[in-house]
Structures are given as C-alpha cells and as structure tokens.
Amino acid sequence: MARLAQTAGLTDVQQEILSTVRDFVDKEIIPVATELEHRDEYPQAIVDGLKELGLFGLMIPEEYGGLGESLLTYALCVEEIARGWMSVSGIINTHFIVAYMLKQHGTQEQKDHFLPRMAAGDIRGAFSMSEPALGSDVSAITSKAVKDGDEYVLNGQKMWLTNGGTSSLVAVLVRSDEGHPEGTAPHKSMTTFLVEKEPGFGEVRPGLTVPGKIDKMGYKGVDTTELIMDGLRIPADRVLGGVTGRGFYQMMDGVEVGRVNVAARGCGVAQRAFELGVRYAQQRHTFGKAIAQHQAIQFKLAEMATKVEAAHAMMVNAARKKDSGERNDLEAGMAKYLASEYCKEVVEDAFRIHGGYGFSKEYEIERLYREAPMLLIGEGTAEIQKMIIGRRLLEEYRFQG
Ligand SMILES: Cc1cc2nc3c(=O)[nH]c(=O)nc-3n(C[C@H](O)[C@H](O)[C@H](O)COP(=O)(O)OP(=O)(O)OC[C@H]3O[C@@H](n4cnc5c(N)ncnc54)[C@H](O)[C@@H]3O)c2cc1C
C-alpha cells in the first residue's frame, strides 16, 4: 500500500475528478488555508475555483446542469477538500444538502427554478433546523408558520446557520399548524420553507435578518450565523414539495447524506494530521535520533494510520450503500461517529508529536486542533449517533423470545 485511504473500484471518471480536486487542494488551498483561517477571512478565490471545477453541481443531475455524480464521488471530493481546509468543505456541505433535498423532494417547478443556478454555484444553499434552545431535539422547534391567503407568515429565531450570510437560499424548518390538528405528533407538523434572500448581513429581505457572524474557536472563514424571522412572508409555492407537514422527514433525509459528508470531513482532517505528524516525526531529533525512531512515537503513527484507514473504509461503505438505493442510516451514523472521534484522536496525537511547536500558530496542526471538535457536534452529536445506531441494532436483532 503506497498511501493511506485509497478506494478500490473507482471508475476512470471518478479517479479523474479526484485527482483534479487533489491537485487543486495542494496548489490552491493548503498554501493559504492557515493564514486565511487566522484572519477569519472568507476564501473567495478558492470558492471561485471550486465553482469553475463544477463542485457546486457535483451531485445535481445533468438535466439541471450538474455533473450527476454519486454520493461516493461527492464524499471522496469532500475528504480531499477537508484535508486542505475543513472550512471549505463546510461551504459546499450545506449547499449540497439543500440541492439534495430539492432533488429528492422538490416540486418540478422548484427543481427547474433552483437547481440549474445551484449547479452553477450562482445560488448557494444553507439549511436551518437549530434554534437557540435546541439542536439535537429537532421536534422541539418553536419557530412557526401561519397561513395567510397564498402566503405563510414566519416568525422565530434560528441558530447556527453555516453559510447563513453568504447563501442566497435557506431551507428553514418550522412548525406549521395549518392542516395539522391539535395533538398531531411534532414531527408531522413541520414544514421546510425555501427562503430566498440577498447574501450579506442585516435585513436581507423584509422580515428576515441575519445579525452577523458568530465568533467561533475554529472552523473560521466560513460564516455561521443566527437568523431572525419577524413577519417573514413566503409564498405557498415555496413549501418544499408543495405540501406542509413533511419537513421533518425531508430534513432528516438531507442530514443523513450530510452525515456521510461529515464523516468524509473527519477522514480528510485526520489524513492531514497524519501527514503532518509523520513528517515532523522524521525531522525532529531527540536523544540522538529522529523521534520517529522512538518506539512510542512509531506506535502513535501506527495507531493514527489505522484509524485513518478504518474511518475511510466506513465512510466509503456508507456512501456506497446510499448510492445503491438502500437505507443507510445505520452505516452513516456509524461512519459519522467513528470518523469524528478518530479524527479528534489522530489530530491530538499529531499535536503531541509536534511537542511545544504544536501550540504555535505557525504550525498547521494548531488549526486542525481547533477544527476537529466541530465534527463531534455538527449533523448530530456522538450521543445522537449512538441513539440512531442503537435503535437500528435493536430493529435488526429483535429478540424473538
Ligand atoms: C459550527 C457549527 C455549525 C452548525 N451549522 C448548523 C447548520 O448549518 N444548520 C443547523 O440547523 N444547525 C447547525 N449547527 C447546530 C448543530 O447541529 C447543533 O449544535 C447540534 O445538533 C447539537 O445541538 P445543541 O448545540 O443544541 O446541543 P444540545 O442538543 O443541547 O446537546 C447538548 C449535549 O447533550 C447531549 N444530548 C442531547 N440530547 C441527548 C439525549 N437524548 N441523550 C443523551 N445525550 C443527549 C448532546 O449530545 C450534547 O452533548 C451547527 C453547530 C455548530 C457548532
């Protein structure tokens, strides 16, 4: 085996796409990532380059101007990009989830209206479930839509929108009582609205405010925001799929592919941490030899590489399962859980290998150390993944006593 995280059975087209993306990452992302991240600067030139490569339309069907590629191709590209800088994969991720939800659940008019411009990267997507008082417990959403003629009036506050400022289309999940009598289960009275807006901050549409960027410990460069809806009027034809009450399922479907994507990000960050660790271990000398020659450090490298391989294999398995048309919530939950935990551990080991220099902002590992924790939280925490995995296991292994 020459390098870690190789994927068997890829087509020529997949290999070509991946090698183009890897080349772009090595030349255009890695050399500037840490500097931009320290300045919390949006990587506009990188985003323009990704647009040119067609990355925003990678999974959008060809009939809408996309490349019509599989989830596996997409996840492998994300892995490469996160290896360069995790924030850049975050810029693509919410866009990809919204495009996927439109493709799966949108009306024909909605697909025709949004997908071609999303494929070109001219409309960019964000999605919004979380609120200040909830993240894991989506059924507790309090933001509300009330029907008024041919429109809905939306009120409420949303939290943690990745790309909340830079996007021009937000898929927003709110409670909608219309048509759902008192006592309807919470997840059956939720609706996803397709909210178009101007990119930027402040009042971006009458009744809709994006206050500003949340100051984060890592995952900088990409904007994360709140969203305030105060009498926001949305036409009825911007209900995703045209029917209210399906929002919870639509969002969960989106988040499920998003989980493969987060797993892929964990794989990419862990790979980069391994590369940095194995390089430094051969440069730094203590007690008369390279630290890589001390067995304790070699063991660390061995553990790191094993984790990189295992996470990659599980991520690829989850993506392939979805591509084959099968339910993959178990595999996606496992891959997301394992890849994010392993990523944190591999990054920590690479940090330790760097000794004191790992604590210096001059070294890339310092950035990775602040980025890895986000993967433990986004698209469902470790506890939520374990709940999903546990429930599915009990379904599969039901005791027939
Ligand atoms: C940088 C960043 C970007 C994000 N981007 C988006 C986005 O684009 N769109 C969006 O909608 N959201 C986004 N989120 C929100 C993210 O999805 C939530 O933060 C996450 O789901 C956790 O929710 P919470 O923060 O409310 O934690 P809580 O749900 O309050 O959980 C707190 C702790 O309790 C645990 N816990 C909760 N319930 C249980 C239970 N039943 N059993 C055991 N333990 C439990 C959790 O695992 C966690 O450890 C983002 C978050 C961050 C940090």
Side-chain angles (χ1 to χ4, degrees):
M1 183 186 70
R3 290 183 74 93
L4 296 176
Q6 298 295 302
T7 314
L10 296 181
T11 63
D12 290 347
V13 173
Q14 286 175 314
Q15 282 175 16
E16 201 184 311
I17 293 174
L18 283 174
S19 110
T20 307
V21 172
R22 178 171 269 258
D23 200 45
F24 182 83
V25 168
D26 285 337
K27 290 192 182 127
E28 310 293 338
I29 300 186
I30 289 180
V32 296
T34 300
E35 207 183 314
L36 289 176
E37 199 267 355
H38 287 166
R39 291 206 300 265
D40 198 1
E41 187 175 319
Y42 190 77
Q44 191 56 55
I46 294 174
V47 171
D48 291 344
L50 294 176
K51 243 168 113 167
E52 242 168 72
L53 291 179
L55 262 277
F56 287 101
L58 196 60
M59 260 190 90
I60 294 176
E62 284 170 300
E63 60 189 294
Y64 299 106
L67 298 177
E69 272 296 327
S70 62
L71 179 59
L72 177 63
T73 314
Y74 181 79
L76 293 174
C77 288
V78 166
E79 183 180 39
E80 293 291 350
I81 291 168
R83 178 183 151 265
W85 183 12
M86 196 181 96
S87 295
V88 178
S89 63
I91 290 171
I92 303 175
N93 181 41
T94 63
H95 177 84
F96 150 77
I97 291 178
V98 177
Y100 173 83
M101 284 167 56
L102 268 161
K103 178 175 78 118
Q104 295 297 109
H105 307 287
T107 63
Q108 193 56 52
E109 185 277 327
Q110 289 168 349
K111 291 181 201 180
D112 292 341
H113 182 76
F114 290 112
L115 287 179
R117 283 181 294 154
M118 290 187 86
D122 294 336
I123 290 185
R124 297 246 302 287
F127 81 96
S128 174
M129 293 193 291
S130 305
E131 296 185 355
L134 64 101
S136 308
D137 187 5
V138 177
S139 65
I141 279 178
T142 58
S143 295
K144 209 169 166 175
V146 175
K147 189 138 199 233
D148 182 22
D150 286 343
E151 295 180 321
Y152 286 85
V153 182
L154 275 59
N155 285 289
Q157 190 175 345
K158 291 292 187 180
M159 186 74 190
W160 296 119
L161 281 84
T162 302
N163 300 306
T166 41
S167 58
S168 43
L169 171 65
V170 188
V172 185
L173 187 65
V174 300
R175 190 167 294 289
S176 57
D177 291 341
E178 175 251 350
H180 311 294
E182 195 83 351
T184 304
H187 53 282
K188 288 189 177 154
S189 58
M190 287 196 197
T191 298
T192 304
F193 284 87
L194 300 166
V195 177
E196 289 172 87
K197 69 173 185 67
E198 287 299 317
F201 299 95
E203 195 173 22
V204 288
R205 171 181 176 151
L208 186 69
T209 302
V210 180
K213 291 200 299 187
I214 297 170
D215 199 10
K216 297 165 294 188
M217 70 181 271
Y219 197 41
K220 290 172 186 272
V222 57
D223 50 296
T224 309
T225 73
E226 296 172 49
L227 184 91
I228 297 163
M229 299 175 288
D230 183 11
L232 170 66
R233 302 189 82 85
I234 302 292
D237 63 6
R238 286 298 168 256
V239 167
L240 179 62
V243 182
T244 58
R246 295 189 182 159
F248 184 84
Y249 302 103
Q250 294 163 340
M251 281 278 176
M252 290 304 131
D253 190 25
V255 166
E256 200 172 290
V257 289
R259 279 184 186 138
V260 176
N261 182 289
V262 174
R265 285 203 244 176
C267 294
V269 174
Q271 273 174 49
R272 185 65 186 158
F274 174 78
E275 288 170 14
L276 297 173
V278 77
R279 185 173 71 196
Y280 188 84
Q282 293 168 81
Q283 291 168 333
R284 181 73 173 175
H285 286 71
T286 67
F287 301 94
K289 54 186 175 185
I291 58 171
Q293 297 308 323
H294 297 300
Q295 194 181 50
I297 299 294
Q298 247 177 51
F299 278 10
K300 261 196 208 313
L301 293 171
E303 287 165 17
M304 290 158 74
T306 306
K307 288 173 182 173
V308 165
E309 281 294 281
H312 178 80
M314 286 195 78
M315 179 273 287
V316 167
N317 180 45
R320 283 196 160 132
K321 190 105 195 261
K322 186 80 180 176
D323 284 335
S324 72
E326 286 178 74
R327 177 178 177 183
N328 84 333
D329 53 346
L330 178 66
E331 291 76 8
M334 284 180 168
K336 195 273 169 180
Y337 169 52
L338 188 96
S340 55
E341 296 292 330
Y342 275 3
C343 173
K344 181 201 66 173
E345 292 169 16
V346 172
V347 167
E348 164 124 20
D349 275 345
F351 168 80
R352 287 174 192 260
I353 286 173
H354 279 73
Y357 290 100
F359 215 64
S360 161
K361 279 186 171 280
E362 268 184 47
Y363 283 74
E364 201 177 323
I365 193 64
E366 178 271 343
R367 169 170 64 78
L368 270 54
Y369 197 85
R370 288 181 291 102
E371 286 173 341
M374 150 61 187
L375 300 172
L376 302 171
I377 306 293
E379 317 289 342
T381 62
E383 289 72 26
I384 296 303
Q385 304 311 317
K386 284 191 259 187
M387 281 163 60
I388 295 167
I389 295 166
R391 267 202 298 263
R392 284 284 284 119
L393 290 175
L394 291 174
E395 263 177 47
E396 295 289 335
Y397 289 84
R398 198 181 300 279
F399 177 58
Q400 307 284 1

